[in-house]
Amino acid sequence: MPDANVRIPEEAKDRLAAIAAAEGLSLRAYLARLAETLLTPAERAERAEKALAALKEWNGYAPTAGEEQDLDSELDRRLAQVASR
């Protein structure tokens, strides 16, 4: 597989290289592993659909769009609260 060149700020490259080294990996290997483990937006949406279907089948949980939005807002609020600590 041919390599690709990616332009990022030097500070970002240095940080990623330090993280990779701490895990015993080259920057190339670390980025390849990272790309394999992250989900695309389409993959995340597909997993969310499957999870909702499983919950509905298991216990009848079927939130409305408004309930989902409220839950998302609450999660965002809590994550922001934790991040600000």
Side-chain angles (χ1 to χ4, degrees):
M1 166 182 358
D3 286 342
N5 292 321
V6 178
R7 295 180 52 86
I8 62 172
E10 188 74 24
E11 298 82 20
K13 182 195 78 75
D14 292 344
R15 179 174 172 80
L16 289 169
I19 294 167
E23 295 189 25
L25 298 170
S26 67
L27 178 56
R28 182 182 187 278
Y30 179 78
L31 290 173
R33 185 182 76 182
L34 185 64
E36 291 171 4
T37 60
L38 294 176
L39 299 175
T40 65
E43 291 167 333
R44 283 195 306 272
E46 181 182 349
R47 284 193 181 187
E49 281 182 36
K50 287 180 180 180
L52 280 174
L55 283 170
K56 184 175 182 180
E57 182 180 324
W58 176 58
N59 68 4
Y61 180 72
T64 65
E67 289 170 330
E68 284 185 22
Q69 187 173 9
D70 290 344
L71 291 167
D72 286 346
S73 295
E74 177 63 13
L75 179 58
D76 289 343
R77 184 190 69 77
R78 290 182 184 197
L79 288 171
Q81 186 179 35
V82 170
S84 69
R85 291 183 185 170

